[in-house]
Amino acid sequence: MTELPKIHTHTVTLSAALCNAQMEISPAMLIQHIIETATEHADRLGVGFKRLSQGGNLWVLSRLAIEMTRYPRVLETFAIHTWIESFNRHFSQRNFEITVDGTPIGYARTIWVAIDMQTRRPADIGSLADIAPTVIEKECPILPPSKLRSLPEPTIVKDYTFQVSDIDFNRHVNSARYVELFLNQFDLQTFDENYLSRFDIVFQHEAHFGNQARVSSTPSGGGSLTSSINVDGRDVCLSRSTLTARSTKQ
Amino acid sequence: MTELPKIHTHTVTLSAALCNAQMEISPAMLIQHIIETATEHADRLGVGFKRLSQGGNLWVLSRLAIEMTRYPRVLETFAIHTWIESFNRHFSQRNFEITVDGTPIGYARTIWVAIDMQTRRPADIGSLADIAPTVIEKECPILPPSKLRSLPEPTIVKDYTFQVSDIDFNRHVNSARYVELFLNQFDLQTFDENYLSRFDIVFQHEAHFGNQARVSSTPSGGGSLTSSINVDGRDVCLSRSTLTARSTKQ
């Protein structure tokens, strides 16, 4: 048996067609690639979609935090390296380092839980313990994903109804789409002048096709904005976005 | 000098994280990969974003038609092969074959024009004639992109305001996002029971951040729906979606 890869690397060359208005990868697309990197590694470790679905379970992302000093730019090649920091019967903690030419430009931390496909309740993933030897100690110099709660007196409120294009293979709203909805609380000029230096997101409940959502945002100090997506009176997803001014010379 | 590659191939393995509710690649994401394949090939031929931007020009997609017999499914690897069918000073015609394990499952045809970054008017791309030797004859057994016009008496009308996440490196609305808005005229069950067997799209004008759009759709015979995205009283983009029932055993 070949040794299980403790670190998995996913490489992307950023063609112009993949760039946002700032000629960079958008935070939502970067997070989509982070999720994809995680699923690829899980597949290679034999604990991916295929194995979980055989047991009637699904991986879902519970929390994510990302910190970037800058974003990959047009025509750059960047790499996302992922490894498992810890693993128990309830959740798996997986970290990421984002590099360009071997130099780190950011890090992410994620927490994954498995849910039962039918009941949509947390599943016991103790049976996946054969990946325990792949857990490694590798530095991830950012704070864990924050606990978040929605704040009163929002200054930005937008309504949105979930559409076909928002729904993923789990038949609920795609994680990256929540990121887009949160960042759509800002305008284009804000991202011309600033970049998202830290982003925390907590997935609390599933949202589905046709659900009507309200996205509310409240300034929460230190240049950050705390936002919630509320469906039928409960917060399904929360985030905190921290922006930093782009230096005049990046 | 190494010979210019007449056919460029872009390969994707479809992890679960990249799938839609039907456990396939979504048509919009497939079209995004088609656009990316085109930009990669243009980059390799030395007529990509870099060279055009030096002359103050940009490639923009003018029309696309795609026909699929089925869509790549979860954990499948598919390839998009592209080649230039024709090229003149006004536009470039580029075709695509989509294969799984070497077997074609679909084709696409695209027409690209270059526009001046400042005036946003068509540019003369005669100076790129050094790619003429890369034009090849290879079968693309689907009809060219249709000419489309909006139809009266729409049966589905939705309003949408363009957000940060809809804007691409050209600072206008991303082509794939129009595809999503058009397919969002359908509901989830429609795609559970049918697949998009042919899709034609015509990009007529640019739309920008903050523009308020109205998406209107009218049944146009043969199981197809003709749709328009209208901003400030003019159609910026038109499409025709043709759905085919999924066989009971795919």
Side-chain angles (χ1 to χ4, degrees):
Chain A
M1 187 179 163
T2 53
E3 208 182 337
L4 296 173
K6 292 179 180 172
I7 297 183
H8 173 71
T9 298
H10 171 100
T11 303
V12 182
T13 297
L14 199 61
S15 70
L18 291 176
C19 288
N20 63 8
Q22 291 77 37
M23 301 300 270
E24 298 166 344
I25 194 169
S26 71
M29 191 180 283
L30 178 59
I31 290 171
Q32 181 69 35
H33 278 290
I34 283 172
I35 293 169
E36 200 183 325
T37 306
T39 58
E40 284 170 0
H41 193 204
D43 286 341
R44 287 187 64 189
L45 295 177
V47 293
F49 168 75
K50 205 169 184 175
R51 169 135 166 223
L52 261 73
S53 65
Q54 283 163 356
N57 296 323
L58 293 168
W59 281 121
V60 292
L61 181 57
S62 170
R63 287 188 196 189
L64 175 144
I66 183 168
E67 278 192 25
M68 300 297 290
T69 51
R70 72 170 182 86
Y71 285 79
R73 302 183 191 114
V74 63
L75 299 178
E76 270 187 341
T77 297
F78 67 97
I80 304 175
H81 313 277
T82 186
W83 65 97
I84 302 176
E85 180 177 292
S86 69
F87 173 83
N88 63 32
R89 60 194 301 167
H90 300 299
F91 61 87
S92 162
Q93 198 170 332
R94 176 184 276 289
N95 298 338
F96 304 82
E97 181 182 59
I98 299 104
T99 61
V100 173
D101 292 335
T103 303
I105 59 167
Y107 293 90
R109 290 178 173 273
T110 57
I111 295 169
W112 297 79
V113 295
I115 62 167
D116 182 290
M117 273 185 198
Q118 300 304 323
T119 66
R120 314 306 274 192
R121 301 287 308 157
D124 184 336
I125 47 174
S127 65
L128 307 181
D130 44 324
I131 59 164
T134 67
V135 171
I136 58 168
E137 280 190 40
K138 178 174 156 65
E139 198 190 9
C140 188
I142 66 169
L143 290 175
S146 300
K147 293 192 177 179
L148 296 172
R149 58 186 182 82
S150 55
L151 298 179
E153 298 174 34
T155 53
I156 308 162
V157 177
K158 292 185 186 176
D159 290 325
Y160 182 74
T161 301
F162 291 114
Q163 305 287 322
V164 164
S165 65
D166 305 323
I167 307 302
D168 72 10
F169 67 105
N170 283 335
R171 295 188 76 86
H172 59 206
V173 174
N174 177 22
S175 304
R177 185 61 181 141
Y178 287 118
V179 179
E180 288 186 343
L181 290 178
F182 284 130
L183 298 182
N184 285 345
Q185 298 288 86
F186 299 98
D187 64 16
L188 199 57
Q189 194 183 346
T190 299
F191 287 109
D192 288 339
E193 295 168 358
N194 305 274
Y195 70 98
L196 186 71
S197 51
R198 171 147 182 136
F199 184 72
D200 291 84
I201 186 166
V202 179
F203 303 92
Q204 299 202 149
H205 297 285
E206 298 179 272
H208 299 99
F209 173 75
N211 283 171
Q212 292 174 21
R214 170 155 290 186
V215 193
S216 305
S217 301
T218 307
S220 48
S224 76
L225 195 71
T226 294
S227 304
S228 66
I229 297 177
N230 191 288
V231 172
D232 291 337
R234 69 177 183 179
D235 292 332
V236 296
C237 193
L238 293 152
S239 75
R240 190 170 58 210
S241 309
T242 306
L243 298 182
T244 297
R246 292 173 186 275
S247 59
T248 47
K249 194 176 173 183
Q250 260 199 82
Chain B
M1 186 180 163
T2 53
E3 207 182 337
L4 296 173
K6 292 178 181 173
I7 296 183
H8 173 71
T9 298
H10 171 101
T11 303
V12 182
T13 298
L14 199 61
S15 71
L18 292 176
C19 288
N20 64 7
Q22 291 78 37
M23 301 301 270
E24 299 166 344
I25 194 169
S26 71
M29 191 181 283
L30 178 58
I31 289 171
Q32 181 67 35
H33 277 291
I34 283 172
I35 293 170
E36 201 184 325
T37 306
T39 58
E40 285 171 358
H41 193 203
D43 286 341
R44 287 187 63 188
L45 295 177
V47 293
F49 168 75
K50 204 170 183 174
R51 169 136 166 223
L52 262 73
S53 65
Q54 282 163 356
N57 297 323
L58 293 168
W59 281 121
V60 291
L61 181 57
S62 171
R63 287 188 198 190
L64 175 144
I66 183 169
E67 278 191 25
M68 299 296 289
T69 52
R70 72 170 182 87
Y71 285 80
R73 300 183 192 116
V74 62
L75 299 177
E76 271 187 340
T77 297
F78 66 96
I80 304 175
H81 313 277
T82 186
W83 65 97
I84 302 176
E85 178 176 294
S86 69
F87 173 83
N88 64 33
R89 61 194 301 167
H90 300 300
F91 61 87
S92 162
Q93 198 170 333
R94 176 183 277 289
N95 298 339
F96 304 82
E97 182 181 59
I98 299 106
T99 61
V100 173
D101 292 335
T103 303
I105 59 167
Y107 293 90
R109 290 178 172 273
T110 57
I111 295 169
W112 298 77
V113 296
I115 62 168
D116 183 291
M117 273 184 202
Q118 300 304 324
T119 65
R120 313 306 274 192
R121 300 287 308 157
D124 184 336
I125 47 174
S127 66
L128 306 182
D130 45 325
I131 59 164
T134 67
V135 171
I136 57 168
E137 280 190 40
K138 179 175 155 64
E139 197 190 10
C140 188
I142 66 169
L143 290 174
S146 299
K147 292 192 177 180
L148 296 173
R149 57 185 182 81
S150 55
L151 299 179
E153 298 174 36
T155 53
I156 309 162
V157 177
K158 292 185 186 176
D159 290 326
Y160 182 74
T161 301
F162 291 115
Q163 306 288 320
V164 165
S165 65
D166 305 323
I167 307 301
D168 72 9
F169 67 105
N170 283 335
R171 295 188 77 83
H172 60 207
V173 174
N174 177 21
S175 304
R177 186 60 182 143
Y178 288 118
V179 179
E180 288 186 344
L181 290 178
F182 284 130
L183 299 182
N184 285 345
Q185 298 287 86
F186 299 97
D187 64 15
L188 199 57
Q189 194 184 346
T190 299
F191 287 109
D192 288 339
E193 296 168 358
N194 305 274
Y195 69 99
L196 187 71
S197 51
R198 172 149 180 133
F199 184 72
D200 291 84
I201 186 166
V202 179
F203 303 92
Q204 298 203 149
H205 297 285
E206 297 179 273
H208 299 100
F209 174 76
N211 283 171
Q212 292 174 22
R214 170 156 290 189
V215 193
S216 305
S217 300
T218 308
S220 48
S224 76
L225 195 71
T226 294
S227 305
S228 66
I229 297 177
N230 191 288
V231 172
D232 291 337
R234 70 176 182 179
D235 291 333
V236 296
C237 193
L238 294 152
S239 75
R240 190 170 58 208
S241 309
T242 307
L243 298 182
T244 297
R246 294 174 186 274
S247 60
T248 48
K249 194 175 172 183
Q250 258 198 87

